[in-house]
Amino acid sequence: MFNLFKNTPKTYKSLSEYPESWSILQENNQGFIVRLNAGYKEAIDNPEYPIKMGIAILIEGEHDESIATLKHSVEDAISELLNKDEGALVAVITGMKEPKFIEFLSYTKNNLDFATIHKTLKDKFPKIEVQMHASGDPEWVDYQSFLK
């Protein structure tokens, strides 16, 4: 009669409409520093972006200054490749123990050409090893693990 208990489906915005809200989490025991965009909390489970894309680079032998420059350069390149209608960078994980690495975690649409994204990054950064993995994570489990 009143539909008081009727479940209304959650509505989502395009990823470009969510605010940027970066914060730093430090996992001292694990040797990780995580920079997380908490602005995407409301985008969790968004059916338009069910693919988790991880891009990792090794940073062995790099100095802190060059690591920061490299991190920003790769982050900018990923953001350009995704443009916020196709996906968004949600976290940057820096492994401080050997082997040192930086992983860029994004959530994307299904239809991206991941091979082209990988090739573009390898071509743009020929002196570093660029690894990439894309798999289904429609509930954004990896992203949620950093929110706890």
Side-chain angles (χ1 to χ4, degrees):
M1 174 170 167
F2 292 105
N3 292 326
L4 294 176
F5 301 104
K6 183 179 177 183
N7 288 336
T8 55
K10 184 175 178 180
T11 57
Y12 296 94
K13 303 182 266 187
S14 169
L15 290 184
S16 61
E17 297 178 56
Y18 290 93
E20 295 277 324
S21 180
W22 291 94
S23 56
I24 304 288
L25 314 171
Q26 192 157 3
E27 301 285 336
N28 287 332
N29 340 355
Q30 305 298 325
F32 296 112
I33 298 173
V34 179
R35 191 163 59 95
L36 181 73
N37 189 341
Y40 290 113
K41 283 183 198 176
E42 297 301 316
I44 291 173
D45 295 330
N46 187 329
E48 292 286 315
Y49 304 93
I51 304 297
K52 168 185 66 178
M53 180 179 74
I55 295 168
I57 58 173
L58 291 177
I59 52 173
E60 295 180 82
E62 299 286 338
H63 300 288
D64 289 345
E65 213 172 280
S66 59
I67 289 171
T69 301
L70 181 61
K71 186 186 298 187
H72 292 299
S73 297
V74 174
E75 186 175 328
D76 289 346
I78 292 168
S79 294
E80 285 174 24
L81 287 167
L82 287 180
N83 76 53
K84 287 200 175 193
D85 291 330
E86 295 175 336
L89 182 65
V90 299
V92 179
I93 303 105
T94 304
M96 302 307 290
K97 294 181 180 178
E98 294 299 328
K100 293 180 181 180
F101 68 90
I102 305 170
E103 182 174 355
F104 303 86
L105 177 65
S106 303
Y107 282 89
T108 72
K109 291 186 174 182
N110 269 328
N111 60 350
L112 292 186
D113 184 348
F114 295 104
T116 298
I117 291 171
H118 190 205
K119 183 180 180 334
T120 301
L121 290 170
K122 288 188 341 182
D123 290 348
K124 188 165 187 146
F125 303 100
K127 294 183 179 179
I128 59 172
E129 181 182 347
V130 178
Q131 300 174 3
M132 184 173 162
H133 175 78
S135 62
D137 183 8
E139 285 132 22
W140 292 37
V141 172
D142 281 5
Y143 176 76
Q144 290 187 66
S145 72
F146 296 119
L147 294 173
K148 297 177 182 177

